[in-house]
Amino acid sequence: FISRPRRFGKSLLVDTIKCLFEGKKELFEGLFIYDKWNWEEKYPVIRIDFSIDRVSNREELNGLVNYLIDDYAKLYNVEVSGYSVNQKFRELIIQLNEKYKNKVVVLVDEYDKPILDNIDKDNVLEVRDALRDVYGILKPMDNYLKFVLLTGVSKFSKVSIFSGLNNLNDITIDDNFSAICGYKEEDLDKYFREYLDGVDRELLRLWYNGYSWGGDRVYNPFDILLFFSKRNDFRPYWFETGTPTFLIKLLMSKKFFIPDIEHIEANDTILSSFEIERISPVTLLFQTGYLTIKEIIHQSEKRIYILSYPNKEVRVALNDYILKDYVNDDSSEQVSISNRIYRSMRDGNVEMAVKEFQRLFSGIPYQWYVNNRLNEYEGFYSSIFYSVFNSLGLECVAEDITNRGRIDLTIKIDNYIYIFEFKVIEEIEDSKKPLEQIKERRYFEKYQRENKEIILVGIEFSKEKRNIKEYAFEKIK
């Protein structure tokens, strides 16, 4: 079993393995494996691809599997007449084994797509249980099977999907297979040399490299191919192929603190799998490719994974999408506000930047706050600040550590460094002002050697007004 984000070449991997077992020697001439594979040994291959159609219930799922089984029975000219889909699947494997006097290869591509297509619907458990019945056939068929590979985006627990399939080897986070999907740095030099003339390699790494599953870092292959095809235009190609609507809804419902995406500590349990009834935002962020492994810390007999954004594409595009959903606005006005914030920050104009943020918060409809009480949640306001700055491509450090405490948010742009401190207050509350806290803890000392103007900004939010109530700032040379 291997899990990788969408558009990372899982289907190409499945097709390659299919051609190997079918003995299509001519396709591999000049490649590494050409003289290392027994081309005389050929195997019948069943390739189940759940990406060919969308299903919404058990009946449609069984219909799709039934169609695929009948198609392979016709292709290999064998008879299957089982009374159920699972029985027909079992019969197909046995018939192929007997006819070709060889074990069968089963390849399942996008094994989880029927579940992900229905993840926010009431019938998702019904679809999951139907899939579990299909995969449950493989365990008792072990004597008839040469090789089985399942690929997908997510990793559901063995209990929920692969019940009984306890001989499944999960190679998702495995040094030996970390670069099996995606391009390594040397792959670009070897196979794409003619396209690299004039390309800023450091910028290319910043935008599209950075994915890791415990070993070599790899480039997003979809991005690289589109980047060359579009004549070296840096754009979020991978992100634009799918919108993480369910993920954003989950982050909001869990009141997930968006700046935490910057640095998350996780263990094997969090990364390995999840249950539909208890979906962890961190698990989903990792498996869908919005988080990746930046470092592995060996702690006693356990491994701790440090997770963060893989690259600039994901950082900018994801925060842009989060921002639109959090402020409930996808209009040109919201884009204009963001652009004016950028210009204000670039020019050191704090007053103008704050006014634009006030305008942004004022544009959120009252109905949006009903039943969620997000206006009382400090993380909501600071998450919007964080997402705005990241969507603009600025250098952001959330929960910035100093020897005197943590800065809520540090922003770098051109000749300025901004240090933000946020606080949600009651209308009659009288506590230490956020600007005073920055100065008292001397957060600015961390950046005084960078030869830039430092601007300290303290911002107070009102629960009642659902907006910035007061702010103060001070410039330090």
Side-chain angles (χ1 to χ4, degrees), residues 121-163:
K121 298 181 176 61
D122 294 336
N123 61 339
V124 63
L125 296 180
E126 170 191 332
V127 174
R128 180 201 64 184
D129 293 344
L131 271 179
R132 180 170 55 196
D133 293 342
V134 173
Y135 300 136
I137 289 296
L138 297 174
K139 173 60 179 176
M141 304 301 293
D142 200 41
N143 291 335
Y144 298 91
L145 297 172
K146 170 67 177 177
F147 179 80
V148 174
L149 174 68
L150 297 97
T151 77
V153 170
S154 56
K155 172 68 187 299
F156 293 95
S157 72
K158 289 185 178 181
V159 174
S160 64
I161 293 293
F162 304 121
S163 181

Side-chain angles (χ1 to χ4, degrees), residues 378 422-437 460-461 469-470:
E378 181 179 311
F422 303 112
K423 184 174 292 187
V424 174
I425 62 171
E426 300 285 357
E427 288 297 327
I428 58 174
E429 185 178 334
D430 184 20
S431 61
K432 182 172 291 185
K433 299 295 184 181
L435 180 61
E436 293 175 12
Q437 181 172 319
E460 297 175 315
F461 301 99
K469 181 189 178 186
E470 292 182 10

Side-chain angles (χ1 to χ4, degrees), residues 157-331:
S157 72
K158 289 185 178 181
V159 174
S160 64
I161 293 293
F162 304 121
S163 181
L165 198 58
N166 53 12
N167 57 341
L168 197 62
N169 178 21
D170 183 4
I171 61 172
T172 299
I173 303 177
D174 188 316
D175 290 354
N176 296 317
F177 301 97
S178 62
I180 199 169
C181 294
Y183 299 138
K184 294 190 292 184
E185 195 73 46
E186 52 263 41
D187 293 332
L188 262 62
D189 291 323
K190 185 174 182 179
Y191 301 110
F192 297 97
R193 185 183 301 275
E194 63 193 275
Y195 297 96
L196 291 170
D197 287 343
V199 173
D200 185 333
R201 293 292 291 273
E202 189 56 42
L203 193 57
L204 193 69
R205 293 185 197 97
L206 182 67
W207 266 84
Y208 303 128
N209 199 349
Y211 293 91
S212 174
W213 287 272
D216 293 308
R217 297 204 178 281
V218 297
Y219 287 86
N220 185 317
F222 186 80
D223 277 324
I224 290 297
L225 295 176
L226 264 292
F227 175 76
F228 291 143
S229 174
K230 303 295 183 182
R231 301 187 179 220
N232 304 347
D233 182 18
F234 288 97
R235 290 184 53 80
Y237 300 110
W238 173 78
F239 195 92
E240 289 173 348
T241 62
T243 53
T245 305
F246 173 74
L247 174 60
I248 304 302
K249 289 181 180 177
L250 181 67
L251 295 177
M252 189 175 295
S253 66
K254 299 284 187 180
K255 292 187 176 180
F256 190 87
F257 185 49
I258 303 302
D260 277 350
I261 300 177
E262 198 87 34
H263 180 98
I264 291 176
E265 295 185 8
N267 57 25
D268 286 296
T269 303
I270 293 175
L271 296 191
S272 62
S273 61
F274 64 80
E275 300 285 352
I276 293 172
E277 299 90 340
R278 301 184 304 277
I279 300 178
S280 161
V282 173
T283 306
L284 198 58
L285 281 164
F286 172 71
Q287 293 182 355
T288 50
Y290 302 110
L291 281 174
T292 198
I293 298 172
K294 290 297 182 180
E295 184 184 359
I296 300 177
I297 299 173
H298 296 273
Q299 185 173 294
S300 185
E301 296 180 356
K302 296 182 179 180
R303 297 203 296 181
I304 303 299
Y305 301 94
I306 307 301
L307 310 178
S308 189
Y309 302 101
N311 50 43
K312 184 173 182 177
E313 176 195 18
V314 175
R315 176 189 289 273
V316 173
L318 179 61
N319 277 281
D320 187 49
Y321 199 85
I322 289 173
L323 177 63
K324 291 173 183 176
D325 212 79
Y326 268 49
V327 302
N328 199 29
D329 189 4
D330 192 17
S331 67

Side-chain angles (χ1 to χ4, degrees), residues 344-378:
S344 301
M345 298 286 288
R346 180 197 60 197
D347 298 337
N349 191 339
V350 177
E351 297 99 325
M352 183 60 68
V354 171
K355 286 181 180 178
E356 294 301 332
F357 272 106
Q358 288 175 321
R359 184 176 286 114
L360 190 68
F361 285 115
S362 296
I364 302 176
Y366 170 79
Q367 294 85 350
W368 193 89
Y369 293 99
V370 175
N371 298 327
N372 61 34
R373 302 179 65 183
L374 285 175
N375 55 301
E376 302 178 10
Y377 169 51
E378 181 179 311

Side-chain angles (χ1 to χ4, degrees), residues 50-64:
F50 282 112
S51 69
I52 65 172
D53 201 3
R54 190 183 185 97
V55 301
S56 57
N57 53 49
R58 177 186 287 270
E59 289 71 28
E60 290 181 3
L61 176 64
N62 287 339
L64 176 58

